[in-house]
Amino acid sequence: MKLKLINIGFGNIVSASRVIAIVSPESAPIKRVVQDARDRGELIDATYGRRTRAVIVMDSGHVVLSAVQPDTMSHRFDEEDKN
């Protein structure tokens, strides 16, 4: 089994096989997910101070914030599948 890594911006990567969902951060339920992860100490902020454009939910319960659009990450997943 080959390990697939996805660039989530600014040189940060996540394992593609561990990602459950990539969602937009605007809705109230997603904001609650982010706050709950922050309270549990399982929030990873990979935005480097920029605006959060995507929230990545991992199978470990961690939540990753990214400054890259969800559509862009989706295309990166598709590129990895082709290779």
Side-chain angles (χ1 to χ4, degrees):
M1 182 171 120
K2 184 178 176 186
L3 179 65
K4 294 182 183 179
L5 301 173
I6 302 298
N7 182 346
I8 62 166
F10 306 109
N12 298 297
I13 56 175
V14 296
S15 175
S17 63
R18 306 289 306 264
V19 173
I20 293 176
I22 302 173
V23 294
S24 178
E26 280 87 31
S27 73
I30 298 303
K31 289 179 181 179
R32 280 192 297 273
V33 167
V34 170
Q35 187 59 48
D36 290 346
R38 187 182 320 269
D39 294 344
R40 292 190 318 264
E42 295 181 346
L43 181 71
I44 301 168
D45 188 347
T47 62
Y48 284 76
R50 290 175 175 78
R51 179 174 167 233
T52 299
R53 296 183 181 223
V55 176
I56 306 164
V57 181
M58 308 298 287
D59 65 354
S60 63
H62 288 83
V63 175
V64 182
L65 304 181
S66 174
V68 176
Q69 291 282 357
D71 289 343
T72 303
M73 272 190 262
S74 171
H75 292 299
R76 292 177 183 175
F77 269 90
D78 291 342
E79 288 173 7
E80 283 293 319
D81 288 341
K82 291 177 184 174
N83 293 335

